Amino acid sequence: MPKPAPTPTVVLVHGAFADAASWMGVIEELQRAGIPVVAPSNPLRGLASDAAYIASFAAQIDGPVVLVGHSYGGALITVAGATESVVGLVYVAGYVLEEGESLGELQGRFPESLLVSHLEERMYPIEGGGAAAEVTIRRDAFPAVFAADVSPAVTEVLAASQRPLAVSAFTEKASTAAWRTKPSWALVAAADQAINPEVERFGAQRAGATTVELEGASHAVAISRPKSVADLIREAVRTLA
């Protein structure tokens, strides 16, 4: 009898204003199910460079890989998913870009989310001299924008530890769209105030993704609903294995 196909390794890619610890509950669920999982730190310095980092990370894993992207991480897996070892994509309240499209262009198709008017800009030094801009969410607005269904105590920690995103990430265009050749799944957070849920629905439909929608779920759905997120990832892994 032929040997069964190996279980894909799940690579969880966090988005802006968060870090890999935001996947903690999802990781616990997947490990309990016996699914290999890793959550690398996303540099958050720009679409092309971040996607290249995730692609390199995935390419060095033995066996097939399922990329899971939250928020801006969705844009990254769209590009990094072209890596040969990647067999599927899972978008969690994420951006599903088309080739040649930027985050700003996709968002511009729909009414602005609450996030847009609550960003705080700072500068950071870049190689070769000079400076570039990065953004975080204003601390007072963070609960409503990012984590309305997360406990106040946890939200305070998230707001204090959020990682900034380079402003250039909003205008860089996706060099490819891996969902055109690889199966995809998507979770829409119906109460998302960071990304308009219509953006999530549109991208998922355009990609032909198997889609679930969670009523009342905030942008921080991986923290507030880890079992639901893990269930969708398990479905993708089962299908691909």
Side-chain angles (χ1 to χ4, degrees):
M1 293 180 61
K3 292 183 179 179
T7 300
T9 296
V10 172
V11 175
L12 302 170
V13 182
H14 68 81
F17 322 124
D19 60 24
S22 61
W23 293 111
M24 188 177 299
V26 176
I27 292 170
E28 184 179 7
E29 292 284 342
L30 295 177
Q31 289 178 334
R32 190 179 296 126
I35 295 172
V37 55
V38 288
S41 181
N42 178 356
L44 301 177
R45 295 295 82 175
L47 178 57
S49 62
D50 293 343
Y53 175 80
I54 296 302
S56 174
F57 188 95
Q60 295 176 71
I61 294 173
D62 290 334
V65 170
V66 172
L67 289 180
V68 181
H70 173 246
S71 186
Y72 168 65
L76 300 187
I77 70 170
T78 296
V79 177
T83 304
E84 185 177 356
S85 60
V86 175
V87 294
L89 311 167
V90 181
Y91 295 90
V92 178
Y95 291 105
V96 188
L97 295 180
E98 174 62 281
E99 182 177 345
E101 184 177 54
S102 69
L103 296 180
E105 289 168 340
L106 175 55
Q107 289 185 137
R109 296 170 178 259
F110 303 93
E112 289 185 349
S113 68
L114 191 62
L115 171 73
V116 177
S117 58
H118 292 90
L119 291 174
E120 193 168 60
E121 187 173 301
R122 295 184 177 87
M123 306 303 292
Y124 67 95
I126 57 176
E127 188 176 354
E134 61 183 13
V135 288
T136 54
I137 301 171
R138 280 198 354 242
R139 293 278 291 273
D140 61 338
F142 190 90
V145 171
F146 198 90
D149 58 349
V150 178
S151 73
V154 172
T155 303
E156 283 295 319
V157 174
L158 295 174
S161 61
Q162 60 180 303
R163 291 184 53 211
L165 175 66
V167 170
S168 62
F170 291 101
T171 55
E172 287 188 58
K173 297 180 184 294
S175 60
T176 190
W179 50 261
R180 287 198 165 274
T181 57
K182 299 182 181 182
S184 60
W185 289 256
L187 185 150
V188 174
D192 200 331
Q193 296 296 322
I195 301 176
N196 184 334
E198 287 300 323
V199 174
E200 300 170 22
R201 293 186 190 103
F202 172 80
Q205 183 177 18
R206 180 169 63 178
T210 300
T211 305
V212 298
E213 185 159 336
L214 295 185
E215 294 297 325
S218 76
H219 194 60
V221 63
I223 298 171
S224 63
R225 311 275 189 95
K227 185 179 184 304
S228 296
V229 173
D231 283 346
L232 183 62
I233 297 170
R234 279 195 292 260
E235 178 185 336
V237 169
R238 280 196 301 266
T239 301
L240 295 166

